[in-house]
Amino acid sequence: MSITSSSSPVDVELGLKVRTITGRDGSGGGGGHDGGGDEEVLAAKPPEPLSPGARVLHSPQMDSFIVCMVGCNTRADADVIKEGLKHTLIKHPRFSSKLVLNANNGKKEAWIRTKVNVEDHIIVPTLDPNMDNSDQFVEDYVSDMTKTSLDPTKPLWELHILNIKTSNAESLGVFKIHHSLGDGMSLISLLLACTRKNSNPEELPSIPTGKSTSSSDKGGPYRSLLFIWLILRLIWNTLIHFGLFVATVLWLKDTDTPIKGGKGVESSPKRIVHRIVSLDDVKLVKNEMNVTVNDVIVGITEAALSRYLHRLYEEGSIDTTRKNSMKKIRIRASVIVNIRQRVGIQDLAAMMSEGSKCKWGNKIGYILVPFHLTLEKDPLQYVRRVKATIDKKKLSLEAMLSYYVNLFALKVLGIKVAVALAYRVLSNATLMISNLVGPSEEVAFYGHPGAYVAPTVSGLPTGLLVNYQSYMNKMSITVCASQDLYPDPHKLCDDLEESLRLMKEAVIQAKLKKESDNVV
């Protein structure tokens, strides 16, 4: 599949060429155009069976959708956005297909291409531009979106355009997309296909890619011994960490604390809040400590939860008899891992091509990272502890096996077993963490310069999901929390911000001390 340029009415208005997303067979795909030939072409396309991941995500226990806020630095022109979507987003097969049901048992069976009327998917509410608290309105609006389902009679996505100024943007679009359409990497890649560099409307945005994992051919005389040692460590780490993963499926669950969801948490009301922090601050901690961005953000989350839970005890809002046993509490985070052969955001054309190693869909596994909720005098200790754990898990097959075991269960044991397996892993842990890499420079969404991107997921069996998303020199932290467990999630956001600030100050102080010692 390729991404090409095409002329359209939106070209004149935006002053740019809109990339058209074509199907694998080279066709433009589903919809948004008038003409009798479209329906005949669509009717000729055979239904496409749901992927294993899509089947799991359509089960009642795992029925979830992605909510993605895209802030813009200008007022949104709904007509321009609608026209742009006709030439990009709805050309994608998943965004122009609806579910068909098995007539015998009513189960969701396959995707079938359909003609898309963009107007049916775009919601533009009439808003008072002079309202007192626009930030609170947006928070309530987005949180309310988690209480309703998507219409199954049409493709499972919608876009809400909110022309209201907030503290971080002049307007925003809020996508609501069923998780079965793709994972975070797939959808961010698709979002990039709808954008251009704001500095050059003819140029594609830069797409960050992960570092190559290939090793050098050069090696010393002990290379064979080192290779054997690494293999032994891989086997040992896999036995330990995947063994704990299996134990989590069977019986091992986190301690019941005020921040852990119970049975049915996936259906509880959710609040979605976000903060924008400096990506440069995160990179400062990363570079000075010689760790990864993932190490830093997981460490930030551990530090913030420590502050949050200790404050609950200090305020006396929960049973204080457990305060002395904090070190014995088992709390783990399910960290989402992309298990594709290539890492980083991939160009959509490469992702959709037949020979690509980086396929569209839900290609994710999990690693379970234990948290130690203690108040550390040195805030960098959280990052050091997380790095030590994640380094061991990197040298194991835990993430890969978590994906393929679920795939095996689905194909051999059936959908009920596969759903139960995924549900128990997520519900027996306390929270989930996700990190996505976005464009490194400012991009324009159909001519609207982007201010930030803040995605999250609602409907999964966890009481807390923390999403990190980079964009330019910013990082959005989005919290999707059960209202029953986190009545005021802004306090947790405060703790996340404060944890990053303390880590930044700590590395600066350590750097100054080191320089001072060198001078002496």
Side-chain angles (χ1 to χ4, degrees), residues 252-270 305 308-309 322 330-332 423-432 460-465 480-486:
L252 187 64
K253 69 175 184 177
D254 286 3
T255 307
D256 289 329
T257 64
I259 60 175
K260 184 185 182 305
K263 187 176 182 180
V265 68
E266 66 275 9
S267 302
S268 66
K270 303 296 192 303
L305 273 184
Y308 185 88
L309 190 56
R322 288 190 177 183
R330 180 189 298 113
I331 288 183
R332 294 170 298 170
Y423 185 90
R424 289 183 65 85
V425 169
L426 299 182
S427 63
N428 283 345
T430 299
L431 71 150
M432 294 179 65
L460 293 174
T462 182
L464 176 64
L465 176 59
C480 180
S482 169
Q483 284 185 245
D484 298 334
L485 301 173
Y486 301 85

Side-chain angles (χ1 to χ4, degrees), residues 53-75:
R55 292 180 63 191
V56 170
L57 290 167
H58 274 292
S59 65
Q61 302 95 321
M62 299 289 292
D63 192 17
S64 54
F65 49 85
I66 294 170
V67 176
C68 183
M69 293 168 279
V70 182
C72 299
N73 287 323
T74 60
R75 183 175 174 82

